[in-house]
Amino acid sequence: MRELRVKVLRSPDELMAYRAGLSGAVGFVPTMGALHKGHLALVKHAKRNQGKVIASIFVNPTQFNDPLDLQSYPRCESADRELLEATKVDALFMPTAAQMYADGSRYQVAETSQSVDLCGADRPGHFTGVLTVVLKLLNLVRPTHLYLGEKDYQQYQLIKGLVNAFFLNIEVIAVPTVREQDGLAMSSRNRRLSAIDRKTAPKFFQILSSNLSDEVVIKQLIQQGFTVDYVKTIDGRRFGAVQLGTSGRGVRLIDNVRIEP
Ligand code: AMP
């Protein structure tokens, strides 16, 4: 098999040894794998900075409150490595949960306000899991630039807040959401949609982007067959989360759009 040029680092020790040899700009793209063009857009933005680019793939168990969701989260290591090779990422960090949580999760980062709204309201502990793993990753990678997708806008805001609150010297860059031609935001979870649900899914973005009130948007989404977790406009941005498919195998989609006043 052709040898891949992306350097794969499988432990915090390997990563720290690699990082010690770098100087100048270091861009970081954290992911949970099952990579698509949305993730690759983050890498492309990072490459523009002319420094090194480190990506990570870690399906973080502490941010899943549904064990079935964690179990069914897509994993495709060799395809992911090929894609990262093509985008010329310099290094790929792929730690294990035991390595990342050697403290048995005794230490956690909690945000007390924004993290209990929207995606945090019906997923208790979700953002504590996200912020905790991100702080660990940032301390290991020590990036100068961090690239996050607008697709997960609440997550972006919370991580930017974490960077500010803990005086981390990192520039946080938000990259616009990459969509399929029909408007559906690219997501690792889309591959779990049935053929019928895939046809319905773009209506989520279409209806979310309309200039109707949040209440009417919710009604229309329900009419189209979505289970609505929330639709809420905050500071000119409408956030939404819905589910498609039968219970137990439902696929959760999230999205957000700027709404003109
Ligand atoms: P994930 O692998 O889902 O944890 O996502 C890793 C990063 O990729 C996060 O910063 C996401 O916001 C970003 N991302 C995921 N999907 C997209 C997309 N369709 N467009 C832009 N960024 C995305």
Side-chain angles (χ1 to χ4, degrees), residues 74-127:
R75 291 164 174 87
C76 25
E77 183 184 322
S78 59
D80 285 350
R81 281 173 60 171
E82 291 275 351
L83 283 172
L84 291 174
E85 166 73 4
T87 52
K88 300 196 170 53
V89 159
D90 296 286
L92 168 61
F93 180 43
M94 288 200 292
T96 64
Q99 291 167 341
M100 293 303 284
Y101 293 101
D103 65 334
S105 280
R106 283 176 54 216
Y107 293 87
Q108 303 183 359
V109 180
E111 194 273 353
T112 55
S113 168
Q114 211 183 353
S115 61
V116 292
D117 196 12
L118 306 176
C119 276
D122 55 353
R123 303 174 84 193
H126 168 67
F127 283 116

Side-chain angles (χ1 to χ4, degrees), residues 31-70:
T31 81
M32 297 207 298
L35 301 181
H36 50 68
K37 286 183 188 149
H39 297 113
L40 301 185
L42 268 56
V43 173
K44 279 181 198 150
H45 271 75
K47 288 299 290 182
R48 285 187 204 147
N49 219 20
Q50 296 186 344
K52 296 282 182 192
V53 177
I54 301 176
S56 65
I57 296 180
F58 179 59
V59 183
N60 175 36
T62 64
Q63 71 189 70
F64 287 81
N65 36 8
D66 175 358
L68 264 182
D69 191 23
L70 172 61

Side-chain angles (χ1 to χ4, degrees), residues 140 190 229:
L140 288 169
N190 292 352
D229 287 353

Side-chain angles (χ1 to χ4, degrees), residues 108-118 120-121 123-132 154-163 165-166:
Q108 303 183 359
V109 180
E111 194 273 353
T112 55
S113 168
Q114 211 183 353
S115 61
V116 292
D117 196 12
L118 306 176
R123 303 174 84 193
H126 168 67
F127 283 116
T128 295
V130 171
L131 294 174
T132 301
Q154 186 185 13
Q155 174 175 280
Y156 155 69
Q157 288 178 310
L158 282 162
I159 294 173
K160 202 169 159 55
L162 170 87
V163 165
F166 290 94

Side-chain angles (χ1 to χ4, degrees), residues 30-32 36 38-39 42 73 148-149 151-152 155 176-178 186:
T31 81
M32 297 207 298
H36 50 68
H39 297 113
L42 268 56
Y73 200 84
L148 301 169
K151 151 100 180 353
D152 302 276
Q155 174 175 280
T177 303
V178 178
M186 291 197 181

Side-chain angles (χ1 to χ4, degrees), residues 1-255:
M1 200 181 117
R2 184 168 59 89
E3 202 190 322
L4 296 173
R5 259 175 307 158
V6 56
K7 191 157 180 55
V8 179
L9 307 161
R10 292 199 181 266
S11 71
D13 284 347
E14 276 182 44
L15 176 75
M16 283 188 285
Y18 174 79
R19 179 64 179 94
L22 303 181
S23 58
V26 175
F28 179 41
V29 179
T31 81
M32 297 207 298
L35 301 181
H36 50 68
K37 286 183 188 149
H39 297 113
L40 301 185
L42 268 56
V43 173
K44 279 181 198 150
H45 271 75
K47 288 299 290 182
R48 285 187 204 147
N49 219 20
Q50 296 186 344
K52 296 282 182 192
V53 177
I54 301 176
S56 65
I57 296 180
F58 179 59
V59 183
N60 175 36
T62 64
Q63 71 189 70
F64 287 81
N65 36 8
D66 175 358
L68 264 182
D69 191 23
L70 172 61
Q71 212 184 350
S72 62
Y73 200 84
R75 291 164 174 87
C76 25
E77 183 184 322
S78 59
D80 285 350
R81 281 173 60 171
E82 291 275 351
L83 283 172
L84 291 174
E85 166 73 4
T87 52
K88 300 196 170 53
V89 159
D90 296 286
L92 168 61
F93 180 43
M94 288 200 292
T96 64
Q99 291 167 341
M100 293 303 284
Y101 293 101
D103 65 334
S105 280
R106 283 176 54 216
Y107 293 87
Q108 303 183 359
V109 180
E111 194 273 353
T112 55
S113 168
Q114 211 183 353
S115 61
V116 292
D117 196 12
L118 306 176
C119 276
D122 55 353
R123 303 174 84 193
H126 168 67
F127 283 116
T128 295
V130 171
L131 294 174
T132 301
V133 83
V134 168
L135 184 60
K136 286 172 189 253
L137 289 169
L138 294 179
N139 282 331
L140 288 169
V141 176
R142 290 186 291 115
T144 54
H145 298 76
L146 171 65
Y147 296 86
L148 301 169
E150 284 190 0
K151 151 100 180 353
D152 302 276
Y153 202 85
Q154 186 185 13
Q155 174 175 280
Y156 155 69
Q157 288 178 310
L158 282 162
I159 294 173
K160 202 169 159 55
L162 170 87
V163 165
N164 290 336
F166 290 94
F167 306 107
L168 306 180
N169 189 16
I170 300 168
E171 193 179 329
V172 184
I173 296 120
V175 176
T177 303
V178 178
R179 301 182 179 280
E180 303 285 356
Q181 282 197 337
D182 56 18
L184 175 65
M186 291 197 181
S187 165
S188 307
R189 288 192 163 91
N190 292 352
R191 60 186 82 190
R192 288 185 47 224
L193 290 167
S194 69
I196 291 175
D197 289 342
R198 177 63 189 80
K199 282 202 178 127
T200 309
K203 292 183 185 146
F204 176 35
F205 171 62
Q206 284 158 23
I207 297 171
L208 205 66
S209 315
S210 69
N211 56 6
L212 303 166
S213 68
D214 292 350
E215 291 70 26
V216 177
V217 165
I218 291 171
K219 275 191 196 133
Q220 292 201 354
L221 286 168
I222 293 169
Q223 271 166 14
Q224 293 295 334
F226 294 95
T227 302
V228 179
D229 287 353
Y230 64 80
V231 169
K232 196 167 172 180
T233 301
I234 303 171
D235 296 335
R237 187 171 292 271
R238 181 180 279 149
F239 296 82
V242 295
Q243 293 183 47
L244 267 178
T246 47
S247 60
R249 262 213 87 245
V251 179
R252 190 168 192 270
L253 306 174
I254 67 167
D255 205 342

